[in-house]
Amino acid sequence: ACLKEIFSRSPLAVSIKTRMGLESTREFLPILDIYKKYPLKRLIVHARARSGMYKSPVDVPGFLSALEGCPWPVWYNGNIFSPESPRELGLAGSSPAGLMLGRGAVADPALPRLLRGGPALEARELREFHDRLLSAYLAAGYDGRAAMARLKELWFYMLCKFPDSRRESKALLKSQSPTDYCSAVSALFESGRLRVPYGDEKTRLLVNEMFGEFNSIAFNSSRGTLEASVGHDDICMSSFMAIQDLREHKQYFSIDFI
């Protein structure tokens, strides 16, 4: 009755995303018979039963056996994490009309490009992706803590890209303020490439403050300016002037913390 009302009243083409059953994927054929009564634009099948959530294996044979006789395009969803996934799952040579990406694309925003034969994700791209999301959340009216919470949900998946940075990953997930979060993000991207000799506790605090302020600068597209998202830009401006001095071949510069 629900589907009948939707299709009778919707002015738009309707696609359905479905699991293969509540308790078992063996429930799918009767479910599919119901869908076949309606003029879907496409059917997207997550090849698991709902009871298994994401822990149960995907039922690719069951999915493929249901493709035959479907009157509309059928897309596959489930455990696509790399360009090799379709072959490893047994989808190679089959005829799903398309793939829907879920957790794999969250963990690796370049996955759609990889599946088309493109290059792998670079750290620079992931950092830009993160920073643009942060700027967009702030521009949409989220405060720093709310934006941080949203981004931590993504990091739950994206941290797989940093298998050798457990300490930095832990600091990111445990950060309680936007400043600490920004410092942790910077440390994560620099882990394995840039090591800062902290020395004593005072030096460690100053380095964390410096990293946090560097990472608080965002591009304001409406004004065409770089601005501090947390209200401080002294270190960044001082560093910019120091870099300009270096480009002019001056030998010494200093940054004073006040």
Side-chain angles (χ1 to χ4, degrees):
C2 177
L3 287 177
K4 183 177 181 180
E5 183 175 0
I6 291 172
F7 279 93
S8 64
R9 298 178 60 179
S10 175
L12 303 175
V14 177
S15 295
I16 291 179
K17 181 174 185 286
T18 182
R19 290 214 177 199
M20 294 178 67
L22 291 175
E23 300 297 332
S24 168
T25 57
R26 291 191 295 272
E27 301 168 14
F28 188 52
L29 288 180
I31 295 173
L32 191 60
D33 287 337
I34 295 173
Y35 294 146
K36 287 180 179 180
K37 297 176 183 179
Y38 299 96
L40 279 63
K41 182 176 182 180
R42 69 176 65 86
L43 180 68
I44 304 161
V45 180
H46 186 162
R48 287 185 173 95
R50 193 183 70 172
S51 60
M53 299 302 288
Y54 290 101
K55 296 180 179 179
S56 60
V58 290
D59 183 0
V60 174
F63 166 81
L64 294 176
S65 67
L67 286 180
E68 187 176 351
C70 289
W72 8 251
V74 180
W75 289 35
Y76 174 85
N77 172 241
N79 284 20
I80 302 293
F81 296 113
S82 72
E84 293 74 33
S85 293
R87 175 183 54 79
E88 293 170 350
L89 291 170
L91 289 168
S94 61
S95 54
L99 300 175
M100 173 178 273
L101 307 180
R103 295 170 297 157
V106 178
D108 185 348
L111 181 57
R113 183 175 72 198
L114 283 168
L115 288 166
R116 292 183 173 92
L121 182 72
E122 297 180 5
R124 169 190 56 80
E125 292 180 296
L126 186 59
R127 181 59 188 266
E128 181 181 354
F129 174 74
H130 168 274
D131 292 352
R132 289 179 66 180
L133 276 178
L134 176 59
S135 297
Y137 279 131
L138 295 173
Y142 288 83
D143 63 26
R145 288 184 180 276
M148 176 180 70
R150 290 270 182 163
L151 288 167
K152 281 186 179 181
E153 294 177 9
L154 290 179
W155 280 116
F156 179 80
Y157 297 100
M158 295 194 301
L159 283 175
C160 68
K161 293 295 180 185
F162 300 87
D164 300 321
S165 303
R166 293 184 179 180
R167 184 179 66 179
E168 292 84 359
S169 298
K170 185 176 180 180
L172 187 155
L173 294 175
K174 286 192 170 185
S175 58
Q176 297 296 314
S177 70
T179 299
D180 289 344
Y181 170 79
C182 290
S183 297
V185 170
S186 288
L188 179 66
F189 276 100
E190 288 153 3
S191 62
R193 291 179 292 278
L194 176 63
R195 296 297 181 186
V196 177
Y198 282 145
D200 58 14
E201 179 67 11
K202 180 180 178 181
T203 302
R204 187 187 70 81
L205 292 174
L206 291 177
V207 168
N208 285 342
E209 180 181 350
M210 180 176 69
F211 281 169
E213 195 164 310
F214 279 147
N215 213 42
S216 73
I217 300 299
F219 181 72
N220 187 325
S221 57
S222 62
R223 297 182 182 180
T225 58
L226 290 173
E227 299 180 5
S229 59
V230 293
H232 300 285
D233 60 6
D234 310 73
I235 297 174
C236 296
M237 295 303 102
S238 300
S239 299
F240 173 77
M241 290 186 284
I243 291 170
Q244 290 300 104
D245 282 351
L246 285 176
R247 287 174 176 170
E248 294 171 4
H249 307 294
K250 296 183 179 180
Q251 293 183 352
Y252 303 102
F253 70 90
S254 65
I255 299 175
D256 293 324
F257 291 86
I258 301 175

